[in-house]
Amino acid sequence: NAGVMQNPRHLVRRRGQEARLRCSPMKGHSHVYWYRQLPEEGLKFMVYLQKENIIDESGMPKERFSAEFPKEGPSILRIQQVVRGDSAAYFCASSPPLLTIHTEAFFGQGTRLTVV
Amino acid sequence: DQQVKQNSPSLSVQEGRISILNCDYTNSMFDYFLWYKKYPAEGPTFLISISSIKDKNEDGRFTVFLNKSAKHLSLHIVPSQPGDSAVYFCAASVAGTSYGKLTFGQGTILTVHP
């Protein structure tokens, strides 16, 4: 029973390039969440998606960042024209369709983005 | 505005003793609280949770206490083991939203010495 899979684990991009981060949720999970952790800080919610729908993007920066979760394939977090301040660990979490009070989201191992 | 705060960046404890990690929150809409454990270069792993209708939840060596009037929760680990050394994050969610949308504290680095 594979967990939440994120790839790549490490990504290096030059300023101005695009970064694409992928997340495959756990089997049976149709809800995906993206979080960002800056150095010395906690995780910050970015966006919540279901298949083909963005449910809550209140934590997404207004420009350069976008996310999708297509009908087939992984969820993608896309950062255009990266800047040094985008360097962070990006975590994906997934949960089953129906959340109860006893269910928690499961996190992947993260993608560490370094912008040089 | 930091709605979930962990005011102790680090905690050092001797093996076998109790570890107490604290967390304060400001948003009275939070109704579900969780603790996650994180090792370097890994994702957070769920540890224990508590609903706002309870004031205590226990799971083996881990107990979470919730004081709603003080907007404070704590995680007790008894007895502490060297393998417990990690970063511990407190997190909270709001009623009416998905339980996967969490507000995290800054984390507390726990070191358990043999």
Side-chain angles (χ1 to χ4, degrees), chain B residues 1-7 22-26 90 105-106:
Chain B
D1 177 31
Q2 189 72 27
Q3 297 186 60
V4 177
K5 292 183 182 179
Q6 294 176 255
N7 291 317
N22 293 301
C23 178
D24 297 295
Y25 62 96
T26 57
C90 168
Q106 311 95 305

Side-chain angles (χ1 to χ4, degrees), chain B residues 2-6 23-31 33 52 66-73 90 92:
Chain B
Q2 189 72 27
Q3 297 186 60
V4 177
K5 292 183 182 179
Q6 294 176 255
C23 178
D24 297 295
Y25 62 96
T26 57
N27 189 341
S28 56
M29 296 296 291
F30 287 145
D31 71 337
F33 304 88
S52 61
L66 175 62
N67 182 335
K68 280 185 295 183
S69 60
K71 293 191 176 66
H72 177 84
L73 65 155
C90 168

Side-chain angles (χ1 to χ4, degrees), chain B residues 17-86:
Chain B
R17 306 294 291 267
I18 184 171
S19 295
I20 300 176
L21 296 97
N22 293 301
C23 178
D24 297 295
Y25 62 96
T26 57
N27 189 341
S28 56
M29 296 296 291
F30 287 145
D31 71 337
Y32 192 54
F33 304 88
L34 309 90
W35 285 93
Y36 279 85
K37 177 180 177 179
K38 186 180 180 303
Y39 293 115
E42 293 187 13
T45 303
F46 170 75
L47 202 54
I48 193 169
S49 61
I50 188 167
S51 161
S52 61
I53 61 174
K54 295 184 176 181
D55 55 19
K56 177 183 174 181
N57 188 26
E58 194 172 351
D59 183 2
R61 296 186 297 115
F62 303 91
T63 303
V64 55
F65 296 92
L66 175 62
N67 182 335
K68 280 185 295 183
S69 60
K71 293 191 176 66
H72 177 84
L73 65 155
S74 61
L75 173 68
H76 292 210
I77 306 174
V78 182
S80 302
Q81 300 173 353
D84 295 330
S85 298

Side-chain angles (χ1 to χ4, degrees), chain A residues 9 31 33 35 37 40-45 48 56 58 91 99-105 107-109 112, chain B residues 2 31-32 34 36 38 40-44 46 49 51 53-54 89 98-107:
Chain A
R9 292 291 308 276
H31 295 203
Y33 313 83
Y35 286 81
Q37 184 184 21
E40 310 300 325
E41 294 187 14
L43 284 75
K44 296 281 196 298
F45 168 79
Y48 162 34
D56 183 340
S58 57
F91 293 97
L99 283 175
T100 71
I101 204 163
H102 299 295
T103 302
E104 65 281 344
F107 282 82
Q109 293 188 300
R112 273 123 192 106
Chain B
Q2 189 72 27
D31 71 337
Y32 192 54
L34 309 90
Y36 279 85
K38 186 180 180 303
E42 293 187 13
F46 170 75
S49 61
S51 161
I53 61 174
K54 295 184 176 181
F89 289 100
S98 164
Y99 284 112
K101 181 182 177 183
L102 303 171
T103 301
F104 281 85
Q106 311 95 305

Side-chain angles (χ1 to χ4, degrees), chain A residues 9-80:
Chain A
R9 292 291 308 276
H10 301 275
L11 182 61
V12 179
R13 284 288 177 265
R14 287 196 167 85
R15 280 178 294 170
Q17 290 185 318
E18 177 180 289
R20 283 189 178 229
L21 289 64
R22 294 174 184 77
C23 170
S24 295
M26 284 180 70
K27 187 176 181 180
H29 287 191
S30 57
H31 295 203
V32 164
Y33 313 83
W34 285 95
Y35 286 81
R36 176 166 66 174
Q37 184 184 21
L38 294 169
E40 310 300 325
E41 294 187 14
L43 284 75
K44 296 281 196 298
F45 168 79
M46 298 180 76
V47 62
Y48 162 34
L49 309 105
Q50 296 177 17
K51 287 281 188 181
E52 300 185 281
N53 280 308
I54 297 175
I55 307 302
D56 183 340
E57 56 182 346
S58 57
M60 285 281 268
K62 294 288 185 282
E63 297 176 349
R64 302 187 297 107
F65 285 71
S66 62
E68 62 176 8
F69 189 15
K71 188 176 180 181
E72 301 291 336
S75 175
I76 307 277
L77 179 68
R78 182 182 177 204
I79 311 171
Q80 295 178 290

